[in-house]
Amino acid sequence: MRIQSLEQIIEQRFESFLEPRLEHWFRRYLESPSGEAIISTILADVMVSWMRPGSGEGHNYLETIVLDLVSRLKDNPGFRERLLATMSRKSAD
């Protein structure tokens, strides 16, 4: 029979307490406006980085995807307002 050290017992209890809560806290954060903003930023960075090396003057996958998304969401007034606000902002480049 193996005897566990006090440190191992505390560690196991802490893990059993923390693990289910961490997933709940993480999901709740990702569903919040801050979490959604982080996900959007990360996805936009990944897509731009993914498309940049081969992009030329013609259409590329990223542009095609963006144009397709815009055409699908064009009848959504809230999306249209946010799109126009984004496009009218001066770029940081």
Side-chain angles (χ1 to χ4, degrees), residues 40-55 60-63:
S40 297
T41 301
I42 290 170
L43 287 174
D45 288 346
V46 166
M47 290 182 74
V48 168
S49 296
W50 178 49
M51 292 298 147
R52 187 169 293 170
S55 66
N60 59 36
Y61 289 121
L62 179 61
E63 185 177 332

Side-chain angles (χ1 to χ4, degrees), residues 11-25:
E11 182 180 336
Q12 288 174 351
R13 287 193 179 181
F14 183 68
E15 284 178 5
S16 67
F17 169 81
L18 194 58
E19 282 182 8
R21 287 166 179 79
L22 275 176
E23 183 175 345
H24 174 72
W25 294 331

